[in-house]
Amino acid sequence: MAGISGPTRLTGFSGQLDTDSLVKKLMDTERVPLNTLQKKKQLTLWQREDYRSMNTSLLTLRKAMNELRFENKFETVKSTSSNTAVLDVVSSGANPGVSSVKITQLANSASVISEKVNKLPTEKLNINGSFTIEGADPAKSVEITITADSTIDSVLKDINGASAKTGVKANFDRASGVLYLNSITTGAGSKVKVTDANGTFANIFGANTTLTSEGKDAAYSVNGTNITATSNSVNINGVQVTLRSLGEASIGAVVDRSAAVDKIKDFVKQYNELVDKFSEATTAKKNRGYQPLTTEEKENMTESQITLWEKKARQGDLYNDSLLKDTLFTMRSALNMPLEGITNPPDPKSQLRMLSQIGVNVMNDFRENGKLEIDEKKLEEAINTRFDEVKLLFTKSSDTPSDTPENMKKRKSELGFADRLYETISAQLTKFTKKIGSGSIEALDESVLGKQLKDYNTRETDLERKLVDIENRYYKKFTAMEKALQKLNSQGSWISSQLGG
């Protein structure tokens, strides 16, 4: 009885009654209604948790259907390069047709390269002085100070420490003993300049080092039109490419429809998994021999025993559940309804109107509970030869409003199977939310199970208070009995002493 406690009690006055043990046995009987209520509450929590699992499966299926609701999901355009050594495709865009590309110059960064330095990177330079590093913006130049204790490593650290300002980074190749100063950006706007008024830089890195360098833009043509760019990563007619070397290459496009097959397969997979899960939940009967355990019962069991017991106790908590059965029924109905409302079909007699026409069939074995199976050869043939009809079979829209039962039925028949099933699942998810809410499994919200748990909590608190009162009355009675026995014992001892005297 959490949160409710009784007064401190003193027992054992007579030495003849084990009051605590007697009261406990009496209270075990009194607690039966509370234990029954708590078991019902636990069953409701388990049921809510299992509903959440079913809800998750529905969301997964709806996500799969969403991948089939839009025409652009059915095919992808893959751009290719005729010469990847010259031009490499990074990512495809819209169908670009064919673009002929000729690269006459690659973009590069500004770069100053020193003469060979005959010192180790950690060896002291033993000179004093300074030089200035400048990038594209002269106003952001930085002076590098050299002392006798400076080393090649410390000079690099100073240059790179200011690179965010100057836009110039330094690297030192230990093998060749050469310093590289490079602009962070590429293109004609990039620049590296070393101002060496006192000859400090020349003293360290060589007097013949060229101290100024400018970058170059990429130069290329697309279908005869000349273009320049500051980077070798460019977008050509919606396709992101990398310019690799001078030369010629063409960008073509290949339409890939395998995505449609994969998405249909995924839909069938998710649908079958949901059917299995819902069917198993609604047909697994309750194991009446197992009920949720009380706290006292758990104290006498190991963790593994508790886990096994509770697995059996929660079995069948969704047996014959009307919400799950209704969900399966509405989805099967949506899949078995032919597509209507097609205007100007290529061939009215052969227009695709059922999933079975593209190789998606309901399994004949009744034990499979209406699961689907795919004739892959038939599906691929439909994709390759009747692609537009397959798209329409899944993506067709409807302008019919859902304002009357007749219009709702008409609208459903006019919707492609993806939109149709998507709307069906969304409607069932709304029912799930009304049943279980959207918070934690213990949330006392306005859902059906939330209200039920709220009622259980109120009744549980009332019963706990009553049990405290009952327990207090028992202790009061037994305390009075113990005092009476103590008094009788005292009187008996006195009489015995008198008679003995």
Side-chain angles (χ1 to χ4, degrees), residues 155-214:
V155 173
L156 260 66
K157 184 177 180 181
D158 291 343
I159 295 173
N160 290 332
S163 63
K165 181 178 180 181
T166 63
V168 177
K169 294 224 30 152
N171 291 286
F172 185 74
D173 180 11
R174 291 172 179 251
S176 63
V178 172
L179 172 74
Y180 296 87
L181 297 177
N182 297 300
S183 61
I184 294 175
T185 58
T186 59
S190 64
K191 178 181 178 182
V192 175
K193 180 180 179 182
V194 179
T195 302
D196 190 27
N198 300 317
T200 305
F201 186 89
N203 197 0
I204 303 170
F205 298 107
N208 294 321
T209 301
T210 301
L211 300 182
T212 302
S213 173
E214 294 182 353

Side-chain angles (χ1 to χ4, degrees), residues 426-487:
S426 296
Q428 293 305 116
L429 286 170
T430 300
K431 294 180 182 179
F432 269 81
T433 301
K434 290 180 180 179
K435 181 81 173 182
I436 63 176
S438 56
S440 67
I441 62 169
E442 295 186 0
L444 305 180
D445 51 30
E446 294 304 306
S447 65
V448 173
L449 296 188
K451 290 179 179 178
Q452 191 171 318
L453 287 172
K454 191 185 299 184
D455 177 61
Y456 283 150
N457 283 355
T458 301
R459 290 163 59 190
E460 185 179 18
T461 301
D462 291 342
L463 283 173
E464 286 175 338
R465 289 198 180 97
K466 289 178 182 178
L467 287 174
V468 170
D469 293 338
I470 292 171
E471 190 174 48
N472 288 338
R473 286 201 299 271
Y474 277 135
Y475 269 106
K476 188 174 182 180
K477 289 178 181 179
F478 276 102
T479 299
M481 188 182 298
E482 284 195 82
K483 288 180 178 179
L485 287 172
Q486 183 186 29
K487 186 176 181 180

Side-chain angles (χ1 to χ4, degrees), residues 383-445:
I383 292 288
N384 292 329
T385 62
R386 307 176 70 176
F387 184 68
D388 289 337
E389 290 182 62
V390 173
K391 281 198 298 185
L392 190 66
L393 190 65
F394 283 94
T395 65
K396 184 180 175 299
S397 60
S398 172
D399 295 327
T400 303
S402 302
D403 53 354
T404 65
E406 292 77 13
N407 278 347
M408 288 175 66
K409 184 176 180 181
K410 184 174 184 291
R411 172 183 170 78
K412 182 175 286 189
S413 69
E414 291 174 346
L415 283 175
F417 283 93
D419 259 329
R420 185 188 300 177
L421 202 55
Y422 186 92
E423 288 193 3
T424 298
I425 293 171
S426 296
Q428 293 305 116
L429 286 170
T430 300
K431 294 180 182 179
F432 269 81
T433 301
K434 290 180 180 179
K435 181 81 173 182
I436 63 176
S438 56
S440 67
I441 62 169
E442 295 186 0
L444 305 180
D445 51 30

Side-chain angles (χ1 to χ4, degrees), residues 197-409:
N198 300 317
T200 305
F201 186 89
N203 197 0
I204 303 170
F205 298 107
N208 294 321
T209 301
T210 301
L211 300 182
T212 302
S213 173
E214 294 182 353
K216 294 180 180 179
D217 284 341
Y220 59 99
S221 65
V222 178
N223 296 336
T225 301
N226 294 326
I227 303 171
T228 60
T230 60
S231 170
N232 292 315
S233 178
V234 297
N235 190 293
I236 297 178
N237 203 6
V239 180
Q240 194 67 30
V241 304
T242 300
L243 308 181
R244 295 292 186 192
S245 64
L246 306 188
E248 298 184 15
S250 60
I251 303 172
V254 176
V255 178
D256 181 13
R257 292 174 175 172
S258 62
V261 176
D262 292 339
K263 291 179 190 300
I264 292 171
K265 285 181 178 180
D266 185 54
F267 142 59
V268 171
K269 175 178 176 290
Q270 298 300 336
Y271 178 81
N272 288 344
E273 288 179 359
L274 183 141
V275 169
D276 279 338
K277 191 170 186 176
F278 278 39
S279 298
E280 182 180 350
T282 55
T283 55
K285 294 185 178 180
K286 190 71 181 172
N287 197 331
R288 301 296 177 185
Y290 292 84
Q291 291 293 318
L293 297 167
T294 62
T295 302
E296 291 77 10
E297 289 170 335
K298 287 182 179 180
E299 289 174 354
N300 298 318
M301 301 172 70
T302 64
E303 287 295 326
S304 59
Q305 288 173 330
I306 293 171
T307 301
L308 290 172
W309 182 283
E310 290 187 340
K311 183 179 180 180
K312 293 181 178 180
R314 69 188 297 172
Q315 176 184 309
D317 57 1
L318 296 179
Y319 173 68
N320 213 23
D321 183 80
S322 59
L323 179 54
L324 299 190
K325 292 174 72 174
D326 179 61
T327 300
L328 288 176
F329 175 78
T330 53
M331 288 196 300
R332 287 166 182 157
S333 298
L335 293 173
N336 289 327
M337 183 183 294
L339 180 63
E340 304 291 352
I342 302 171
T343 57
N344 300 320
D347 183 352
K349 294 182 180 180
S350 64
Q351 173 67 38
L352 298 178
R353 300 177 63 223
M354 293 292 293
L355 291 178
S356 58
Q357 292 175 279
I358 63 170
V360 180
N361 305 298
V362 177
M363 292 185 184
N364 292 325
D365 190 341
F366 73 92
R367 291 170 296 184
E368 296 294 345
N369 299 308
K371 289 196 297 185
L372 302 175
E373 60 183 353
I374 297 178
D375 181 337
E376 292 194 26
K377 184 177 180 181
K378 190 173 182 178
L379 175 60
E380 290 177 0
E381 182 182 356
I383 292 288
N384 292 329
T385 62
R386 307 176 70 176
F387 184 68
D388 289 337
E389 290 182 62
V390 173
K391 281 198 298 185
L392 190 66
L393 190 65
F394 283 94
T395 65
K396 184 180 175 299
S397 60
S398 172
D399 295 327
T400 303
S402 302
D403 53 354
T404 65
E406 292 77 13
N407 278 347
M408 288 175 66
K409 184 176 180 181

